Amino acid sequence: MAHIIVVGNEKGGAGKSTVSMHLATALARMGHRVSGLDLDLRQRTFGRYVDNRRAFLKSANLDLACPSLCELPEIEASNLKPGENVYDHRLSAAVASMEPNNDFILIDCPGSHTRLSQVAHSLADTLVTPLNDSFIDFDLLAHTDAMGEKITGPSVYSEMVWTARQLRAQAGLAPIDWVVVRNRMGAQRMVNKDKMEKAIKNLSKRIGFRIAPGFNERVIFRELFPRGLTLLDLKDIGVKQLNISNVAARQELRDLVKALNLPGVTADF
């Protein structure tokens, strides 16, 4: 069975598609069979990222590892039983088509609550939740007091993950390994950064997720998207000397892959 990685939260701008593309490409470059699925049917950023990669590699005559991309199949309404949801069938059909020929399936979810995203979370063996280093984003996981120190209760996304965990337990599936990734952090040590670190550690113990390092805010990520490239491809396209920022970013990717502890995967790239 393929290991399913779901990258999701319910807020845009946290870097989900960047994390998805770098994880999928890193796994593909290590020789794993990887297929991706973009559930943001409107913006389709992850899907566009993969499309850009294919187009650039073809135009540049480069042979670099690339995750495959699956589209949600259309389902005839006449094939549905009373009360059945068409999106459930489209997602299950897509996953079923990918499982036999892949080691990993990576599902990128939209930055909003949708039926597709809800069902995808219940399929996750590993759930990766990128989170900006901000209490605005933290509010998606839990509510805090005015000082940002005391957690007053879980929020909508945490409750959705809890529901997904219950569904997996009822189906006799292994628990979701939930990993919250602190993403787009500034390099400087600031009061907000310290408060966020304490709040996330406190919440992780209460609702059961692990914490992993993500990517610092870097211009290079904005520059890579049009060509579908990742940090791992720079030397392959002729960049002879990586600058300090690029070297640090590659190390952040290694640290993230290592922290996820995926089956059969090392961060040796």
Side-chain angles (χ1 to χ4, degrees), residues 144-208:
T144 66
D145 63 5
M147 299 303 293
E149 296 177 351
K150 183 179 179 182
I151 295 170
T152 59
S155 194
V156 288
Y157 183 71
S158 296
E159 291 175 347
M160 193 261 278
V161 175
W162 174 253
T163 300
R165 283 174 157 170
Q166 289 181 312
L167 290 173
R168 285 182 66 88
Q170 292 169 7
L173 300 174
I176 298 172
D177 182 18
W178 186 13
V179 184
V180 172
V181 174
R182 296 185 66 191
N183 217 27
R184 303 182 70 172
M185 293 189 295
Q188 295 180 335
R189 197 76 191 178
M190 302 177 71
V191 173
N192 176 75
K193 196 172 182 179
D194 291 337
K195 283 188 173 182
M196 277 290 295
E197 184 172 345
K198 292 178 182 178
I200 290 176
K201 284 183 178 179
N202 184 14
L203 185 62
S204 70
K205 297 174 184 176
R206 290 185 57 174
I207 64 176

Side-chain angles (χ1 to χ4, degrees), residues 87-237:
Y87 289 108
D88 294 5
H89 280 258
R90 294 181 71 188
L91 182 54
S92 62
V95 171
S97 70
M98 290 186 285
E99 275 194 320
N101 302 311
N102 286 282
D103 303 310
F104 294 95
I105 297 171
L106 192 145
I107 303 176
D108 187 43
C109 293
S112 60
H113 181 78
T114 66
R115 174 71 181 188
L116 278 172
S117 180
Q118 183 179 6
V119 175
H121 279 66
S122 68
L123 300 177
D125 297 305
T126 299
L127 172 60
V128 180
T129 301
L131 189 74
N132 285 335
D133 217 40
S134 162
F135 277 101
I136 296 175
D137 283 47
F138 185 83
D139 193 64
L140 189 73
L141 296 179
H143 302 305
T144 66
D145 63 5
M147 299 303 293
E149 296 177 351
K150 183 179 179 182
I151 295 170
T152 59
S155 194
V156 288
Y157 183 71
S158 296
E159 291 175 347
M160 193 261 278
V161 175
W162 174 253
T163 300
R165 283 174 157 170
Q166 289 181 312
L167 290 173
R168 285 182 66 88
Q170 292 169 7
L173 300 174
I176 298 172
D177 182 18
W178 186 13
V179 184
V180 172
V181 174
R182 296 185 66 191
N183 217 27
R184 303 182 70 172
M185 293 189 295
Q188 295 180 335
R189 197 76 191 178
M190 302 177 71
V191 173
N192 176 75
K193 196 172 182 179
D194 291 337
K195 283 188 173 182
M196 277 290 295
E197 184 172 345
K198 292 178 182 178
I200 290 176
K201 284 183 178 179
N202 184 14
L203 185 62
S204 70
K205 297 174 184 176
R206 290 185 57 174
I207 64 176
F209 59 77
R210 298 192 291 117
I211 305 169
F215 301 135
N216 282 349
E217 184 67 41
R218 302 182 192 278
V219 175
I220 185 66
F221 291 116
R222 304 188 190 99
E223 298 174 342
L224 294 171
F225 173 80
R227 292 175 291 174
L229 298 174
T230 70
L231 294 165
L232 302 177
D233 305 312
L234 297 179
K235 290 186 176 180
D236 295 310
I237 61 169

